[in-house]
mmCIF file of all heavy atoms in Angstrom:
data_model
loop_
_atom_site.group_PDB
_atom_site.id
_atom_site.type_symbol
_atom_site.label_atom_id
_atom_site.label_comp_id
_atom_site.label_asym_id
_atom_site.label_seq_id
_atom_site.Cartn_x
_atom_site.Cartn_y
_atom_site.Cartn_z
ATOM 1 N N PRO A 242 -13.194 54.592 63.085
ATOM 2 C CA PRO A 242 -12.714 55.773 63.828
ATOM 3 C C PRO A 242 -11.679 55.395 64.895
ATOM 4 O O PRO A 242 -11.944 55.433 66.089
ATOM 5 C CB PRO A 242 -13.993 56.345 64.432
ATOM 6 C CG PRO A 242 -14.894 55.161 64.582
ATOM 7 C CD PRO A 242 -14.580 54.244 63.425
ATOM 8 N N VAL A 243 -10.481 55.071 64.448
ATOM 9 C CA VAL A 243 -9.425 54.606 65.357
ATOM 10 C C VAL A 243 -9.060 55.693 66.362
ATOM 11 O O VAL A 243 -8.873 55.411 67.554
ATOM 12 C CB VAL A 243 -8.189 54.164 64.545
ATOM 13 C CG1 VAL A 243 -7.064 53.750 65.475
ATOM 14 C CG2 VAL A 243 -8.553 53.030 63.599
ATOM 15 N N ILE A 244 -8.943 56.929 65.896
ATOM 16 C CA ILE A 244 -8.552 58.023 66.783
ATOM 17 C C ILE A 244 -9.576 58.203 67.888
ATOM 18 O O ILE A 244 -9.231 58.342 69.070
ATOM 19 C CB ILE A 244 -8.359 59.316 65.972
ATOM 20 C CG1 ILE A 244 -7.077 59.199 65.133
ATOM 21 C CG2 ILE A 244 -8.320 60.543 66.865
ATOM 22 C CD1 ILE A 244 -6.908 60.298 64.122
ATOM 23 N N THR A 245 -10.844 58.194 67.526
ATOM 24 C CA THR A 245 -11.894 58.331 68.532
ATOM 25 C C THR A 245 -11.825 57.194 69.535
ATOM 26 O O THR A 245 -11.964 57.408 70.754
ATOM 27 C CB THR A 245 -13.275 58.356 67.853
ATOM 28 O OG1 THR A 245 -13.391 59.559 67.095
ATOM 29 C CG2 THR A 245 -14.395 58.314 68.877
ATOM 30 N N GLU A 246 -11.589 55.989 69.066
ATOM 31 C CA GLU A 246 -11.496 54.836 69.972
ATOM 32 C C GLU A 246 -10.347 55.003 70.960
ATOM 33 O O GLU A 246 -10.499 54.745 72.162
ATOM 34 C CB GLU A 246 -11.300 53.568 69.161
ATOM 35 C CG GLU A 246 -11.195 52.294 69.988
ATOM 36 C CD GLU A 246 -12.456 51.958 70.767
ATOM 37 O OE1 GLU A 246 -13.550 52.458 70.412
ATOM 38 O OE2 GLU A 246 -12.347 51.211 71.769
ATOM 39 N N ILE A 247 -9.190 55.461 70.482
ATOM 40 C CA ILE A 247 -8.045 55.659 71.371
ATOM 41 C C ILE A 247 -8.353 56.733 72.417
ATOM 42 O O ILE A 247 -8.048 56.575 73.608
ATOM 43 C CB ILE A 247 -6.796 56.038 70.556
ATOM 44 C CG1 ILE A 247 -6.365 54.851 69.685
ATOM 45 C CG2 ILE A 247 -5.663 56.480 71.470
ATOM 46 C CD1 ILE A 247 -5.292 55.192 68.685
ATOM 47 N N LEU A 248 -8.968 57.818 71.991
ATOM 48 C CA LEU A 248 -9.309 58.885 72.936
ATOM 49 C C LEU A 248 -10.353 58.397 73.945
ATOM 50 O O LEU A 248 -10.272 58.719 75.142
ATOM 51 C CB LEU A 248 -9.806 60.114 72.183
ATOM 52 C CG LEU A 248 -8.760 60.822 71.316
ATOM 53 C CD1 LEU A 248 -9.388 62.004 70.586
ATOM 54 C CD2 LEU A 248 -7.575 61.307 72.156
ATOM 55 N N ARG A 249 -11.319 57.612 73.490
ATOM 56 C CA ARG A 249 -12.337 57.101 74.415
ATOM 57 C C ARG A 249 -11.724 56.138 75.425
ATOM 58 O O ARG A 249 -12.183 56.059 76.578
ATOM 59 C CB ARG A 249 -13.458 56.438 73.625
ATOM 60 C CG ARG A 249 -14.355 57.453 72.917
ATOM 61 C CD ARG A 249 -15.417 56.790 72.073
ATOM 62 N NE ARG A 249 -16.317 57.792 71.476
ATOM 63 C CZ ARG A 249 -17.249 57.517 70.575
ATOM 64 N NH1 ARG A 249 -17.413 56.264 70.144
ATOM 65 N NH2 ARG A 249 -18.012 58.485 70.097
ATOM 66 N N GLU A 250 -10.699 55.427 75.039
ATOM 67 C CA GLU A 250 -10.001 54.542 75.973
ATOM 68 C C GLU A 250 -9.350 55.340 77.089
ATOM 69 O O GLU A 250 -9.034 54.783 78.156
ATOM 70 C CB GLU A 250 -8.948 53.719 75.232
ATOM 71 C CG GLU A 250 -9.539 52.659 74.304
ATOM 72 C CD GLU A 250 -8.499 52.041 73.387
ATOM 73 O OE1 GLU A 250 -7.307 52.417 73.504
ATOM 74 O OE2 GLU A 250 -8.866 51.189 72.569
ATOM 75 N N ASN A 251 -9.137 56.632 76.852
ATOM 76 C CA ASN A 251 -8.550 57.527 77.844
ATOM 77 C C ASN A 251 -9.586 58.443 78.489
ATOM 78 O O ASN A 251 -9.239 59.486 79.037
ATOM 79 C CB ASN A 251 -7.442 58.350 77.197
ATOM 80 C CG ASN A 251 -6.207 57.529 76.888
ATOM 81 O OD1 ASN A 251 -5.333 57.367 77.739
ATOM 82 N ND2 ASN A 251 -6.122 56.982 75.668
ATOM 83 N N ALA A 252 -10.845 58.063 78.379
ATOM 84 C CA ALA A 252 -11.965 58.768 79.019
ATOM 85 C C ALA A 252 -12.348 60.068 78.321
ATOM 86 O O ALA A 252 -13.091 60.875 78.882
ATOM 87 C CB ALA A 252 -11.684 59.020 80.490
ATOM 88 N N TYR A 253 -11.871 60.296 77.096
ATOM 89 C CA TYR A 253 -12.292 61.442 76.296
ATOM 90 C C TYR A 253 -13.572 61.071 75.543
ATOM 91 O O TYR A 253 -13.859 59.890 75.342
ATOM 92 C CB TYR A 253 -11.208 61.849 75.314
ATOM 93 C CG TYR A 253 -9.998 62.506 75.957
ATOM 94 C CD1 TYR A 253 -9.182 61.800 76.843
ATOM 95 C CD2 TYR A 253 -9.649 63.827 75.677
ATOM 96 C CE1 TYR A 253 -8.070 62.385 77.432
ATOM 97 C CE2 TYR A 253 -8.533 64.423 76.255
ATOM 98 C CZ TYR A 253 -7.762 63.686 77.140
ATOM 99 O OH TYR A 253 -6.660 64.278 77.701
ATOM 100 N N SER A 254 -14.310 62.101 75.095
ATOM 101 C CA SER A 254 -15.596 61.846 74.428
ATOM 102 C C SER A 254 -15.741 62.670 73.155
ATOM 103 O O SER A 254 -16.675 63.481 73.021
ATOM 104 C CB SER A 254 -16.751 62.168 75.383
ATOM 105 O OG SER A 254 -16.647 61.417 76.567
ATOM 106 N N PRO A 255 -14.853 62.496 72.190
ATOM 107 C CA PRO A 255 -14.995 63.272 70.954
ATOM 108 C C PRO A 255 -16.196 62.819 70.134
ATOM 109 O O PRO A 255 -16.610 61.659 70.185
ATOM 110 C CB PRO A 255 -13.688 62.971 70.214
ATOM 111 C CG PRO A 255 -13.295 61.611 70.698
ATOM 112 C CD PRO A 255 -13.712 61.573 72.146
ATOM 113 N N GLU A 256 -16.765 63.745 69.392
ATOM 114 C CA GLU A 256 -17.801 63.406 68.432
ATOM 115 C C GLU A 256 -17.138 62.883 67.152
ATOM 116 O O GLU A 256 -15.943 63.110 66.916
ATOM 117 C CB GLU A 256 -18.644 64.641 68.115
ATOM 118 C CG GLU A 256 -19.344 65.257 69.302
ATOM 119 C CD GLU A 256 -20.542 64.460 69.777
ATOM 120 O OE1 GLU A 256 -20.861 63.413 69.161
ATOM 121 O OE2 GLU A 256 -21.171 64.871 70.766
ATOM 122 N N ILE A 257 -17.935 62.208 66.335
ATOM 123 C CA ILE A 257 -17.437 61.645 65.083
ATOM 124 C C ILE A 257 -18.245 62.218 63.931
ATOM 125 O O ILE A 257 -19.479 62.204 63.952
ATOM 126 C CB ILE A 257 -17.574 60.109 65.056
ATOM 127 C CG1 ILE A 257 -16.882 59.473 66.255
ATOM 128 C CG2 ILE A 257 -17.009 59.544 63.761
ATOM 129 C CD1 ILE A 257 -17.120 57.974 66.345
ATOM 130 N N TYR A 258 -17.531 62.723 62.909
ATOM 131 C CA TYR A 258 -18.226 63.165 61.691
ATOM 132 C C TYR A 258 -17.454 62.666 60.476
ATOM 133 O O TYR A 258 -16.225 62.722 60.419
ATOM 134 C CB TYR A 258 -18.322 64.687 61.618
ATOM 135 C CG TYR A 258 -19.002 65.145 60.341
ATOM 136 C CD1 TYR A 258 -20.381 65.147 60.251
ATOM 137 C CD2 TYR A 258 -18.254 65.496 59.221
ATOM 138 C CE1 TYR A 258 -21.022 65.521 59.072
ATOM 139 C CE2 TYR A 258 -18.884 65.873 58.036
ATOM 140 C CZ TYR A 258 -20.268 65.877 57.971
ATOM 141 O OH TYR A 258 -20.889 66.231 56.799
ATOM 142 N N ASP A 259 -18.207 62.180 59.516
ATOM 143 C CA ASP A 259 -17.651 61.818 58.216
ATOM 144 C C ASP A 259 -18.761 61.980 57.177
ATOM 145 O O ASP A 259 -19.890 61.525 57.413
ATOM 146 C CB ASP A 259 -17.154 60.372 58.218
ATOM 147 C CG ASP A 259 -16.402 60.014 56.941
ATOM 148 O OD1 ASP A 259 -17.058 59.704 55.927
ATOM 149 O OD2 ASP A 259 -15.153 60.061 56.953
#
Side-chain angles (χ1 to χ4, degrees):
V243 177
I244 288 170
T245 293
E246 180 64 20
I247 293 171
L248 293 178
R249 286 177 176 172
E250 290 169 2
N251 288 273
Y253 289 64
S254 303
E256 300 286 359
I257 305 174
Y258 178 82
D259 188 279

